[in-house]
Amino acid sequence: MVHFVGAGPGAPDLITLRGARLLQTADVIIYAGSLVNEALLENAKQGCEIYNSAHMTLEEVLHVIRMAHKAGKDVVRLHTGDPCLFGAIREQMDALQKMGIAYDDTPGVSSFCAAAAALGAEYTLPGVSQSVIITRMEGRTPVPEREKLEILAQHGTSMVLFLSAGMTQRVQDALLAGDYTADTPAAIVYKASWTDEKTVRCTVGTLAQAAEENAISKTALLLIGDFLGQDYDRSLLYHPSFETEFRKASK
Ligand code: SAH
């Protein structure tokens, strides 16, 4: 059996209870060493085989899994944050399916949630934005034409950019070609939830400069939108005049 597990954003106590239990009982752990906190591996059982997939191809990962499966061993495939975002899990799952190897998937806290937590921010503020665009700037990995940043930026909604901290000037230019202005609030969150976490608040117009001044070019998220500003409406859900299934209106 192969267990895909979300390691969470970095702090070792931000893995789920289920994920931690699977790590403790695994015979083999293959972890995404570029971003997973190695402190999580301290709870692996004695004799557990541990592989860092940062040095491996998909084929090598699958080979380790195949061998483990033959020997009746339990494998944890540990991905950073939640595996469903930029985790390259689908190709692994499809290969396992073909090989007849069973798997399951335990979600984790994505870094975009940890980044909001670091800033005390809410992506979906009433009267400001009710949608979050999660995307990346095109780099060596292409992005479909219809999802080019300039096009997505036309929505002007809350946006989180993964894998783009090394391209902030291009990001800034693309955002300004959309509906954001130079004054739109932005933030760079480096290593959210790690002990060396760093948050930098700036604007779309100063994004590239802020990244350069703080020497941040990787392991960071770029957060964009008026949800990082001061103005918003209070929620209807908790308004005295708003009635819900659970609460009568009081005024
Ligand atoms: N599945 C992961 C994302 C993997 S892609 C998740 O759900 O978070 C790798 C990118 O995620 C990095 O380049 C960076 O942009 C972002 N990232 C991962 N962990 C981070 C963290 N703790 N703080 C800030 N950004 C992080």
Side-chain angles (χ1 to χ4, degrees), residues 8-10 35 79-87 109-112 114-115 161-165 189-194 218-222:
L35 283 166
H79 283 274
T80 180
D82 188 288
C84 77
L85 289 172
F86 304 111
V109 177
S110 176
S111 58
F112 84 93
L161 286 146
F162 284 71
L163 298 157
S164 307
V189 182
Y190 172 75
K191 292 187 88 173
S193 86
W194 290 71
K218 59 176 198 171
T219 330
L221 291 171
L222 311 176

Side-chain angles (χ1 to χ4, degrees), residues 112-113 115-116 121-125 129 131-132 158-160 223 227:
F112 84 93
C113 300
E122 178 179 350
Y123 291 115
T124 52
L125 276 183
S129 167
S131 315
V132 187
S158 305
M159 186 183 276
V160 185
L223 277 53
F227 74 99

Side-chain angles (χ1 to χ4, degrees), residues 21 104 116 121 135 157:
R21 186 173 45 73
D104 60 17
T135 188
T157 188

